[in-house]
Amino acid sequence: LQGLGGAMLSAILPRAEAEGTDVYLETNKPRNVVFYQKNGFKVREHFRCHGGRGPETWTLIRERGQFHA
């Protein structure tokens, strides 16, 4: 894992797994969606707020038990 996203996942995912919790995140960058999917996240929602005029947003979740070091 590289960059800020990789650093965040390296810190959060082992802790979430140890505690048996899901991990939720949001992104506004399409390229990040693929990165998070490769790390076990699934897209829950994909939308534009403010009646379609706002930023494109994805919500993602990694359910407990999806950790693979």
Side-chain angles (χ1 to χ4, degrees):
L1 300 173
Q2 298 179 12
L4 293 176
M8 178 203 58
L9 293 182
S10 293
I12 297 297
L13 295 181
R15 181 176 175 182
E17 186 66 17
E19 294 177 5
T21 61
D22 297 342
V23 179
Y24 169 89
L25 59 84
E26 297 179 3
T27 186
N28 299 105
K29 296 181 180 178
R31 71 175 183 262
N32 289 350
V33 174
V34 173
F35 170 77
Y36 291 125
Q37 287 175 322
K38 288 180 180 178
N39 285 282
F41 286 83
K42 295 180 183 174
V43 174
R44 292 198 49 167
E45 292 181 282
H46 175 213
F47 60 91
R48 286 187 184 269
C49 57
H50 303 292
R53 297 181 316 269
E56 191 170 19
T57 302
W58 290 262
T59 65
L60 299 100
I61 190 162
R62 185 174 185 184
E63 296 176 348
R64 60 189 158 274
Q66 298 299 309
F67 185 75
H68 46 84

